[in-house]
Amino acid sequence: GAVVSQHPSRVICKSGTSVKIECRSLDFQATTMFWYRQFPKKSLMLMATSNEGSKATYEQGVEKDKFLINHASLTLSTLTVTSAHPEDSSFYICSAADRGNEKLFFGSGTQLSVL
Amino acid sequence: GNSVTQMEGPVTLSEEAFLTINCTYTATGYPSLFWYVQYPGEGLQLLLKATKADDKGSNKGFEATYRKETTSFHLEKGSVQVSDSAVYFCALFFNTDKLIFGTGTRLQVFP
């Protein structure tokens, strides 16, 4: 079946540094990718939707300059948490939709801890 | 607004026990409803879905029925196995292309 690879699975960084998370669709072309964030004991919250070759659409309350999303190809989207702070510590998960947007496949998630 | 509420975990069961994970939703209109499962170290996978009232989704022995009158989509399995240990997410989907998730319920099954 279709696979979405998300890397890294866990990252610990110092406050003020930037962290990049990659999301790759391994055996299909993903025209649309989604980035979610989950706080402890909270729902997965959609952060942004990215379409290949265009700017991402951010959900209300999500800082686009803080969470940079690039979807440069049909198989790769990246989320960069810029100047990370402890409050950015969270579980981030990506998902990718195939061309017909009929199915949604998820990465395994990235646990970010900012010290 | 639209939201999903599911029971907090962890749910701890012995093998072959009956499982129910409650999920209720609030929505304007008639969403599609899903259960996703995340096994340790893996991504979320679609477990089952129902697209209209009274539909029953089923897969791998799991079932859930779309109940409009109670706005519920409870997940059930008659006899759980150790391999069912995972986190289960209830979700609803509108034609806005946004999946709205519940908080997830961790299931732990012991032999």
Side-chain angles (χ1 to χ4, degrees), chain B:
Chain B
N2 303 315
S3 66
V4 175
T5 302
Q6 62 181 105
M7 61 191 290
E8 282 197 32
V11 173
T12 303
L13 295 173
S14 298
E15 209 164 24
E16 299 184 4
F18 184 86
L19 168 71
T20 300
I21 300 179
N22 290 336
C23 172
T24 57
Y25 67 91
T26 302
T28 52
Y30 304 103
S32 296
L33 300 173
F34 301 81
W35 276 100
Y36 282 83
V37 57
Q38 185 172 28
Y39 297 103
E42 299 183 17
L44 281 169
Q45 302 172 27
L46 179 63
L47 179 60
L48 53 85
K49 68 177 181 181
T51 57
K52 61 182 187 297
D54 299 326
D55 267 2
K56 177 186 283 188
S58 60
N59 185 25
K60 299 181 180 180
F62 290 89
E63 292 183 339
T65 301
Y66 190 147
R67 301 283 188 202
K68 191 176 72 172
E69 62 276 13
T70 55
T71 60
S72 65
F73 193 55
H74 304 322
L75 181 68
E76 296 182 336
K77 186 173 185 181
S79 176
V80 293
Q81 305 299 312
V82 173
S83 56
D84 294 326
S85 298
V87 181
Y88 293 82
F89 291 87
C90 184
L92 65 81
F93 177 79
F94 272 110
N95 56 9
T96 55
D97 294 333
K98 295 180 185 180
L99 269 176
I100 299 172
F101 288 90
T103 53
T105 302
R106 182 174 298 279
L107 170 65
Q108 297 173 326
V109 182
F110 293 96

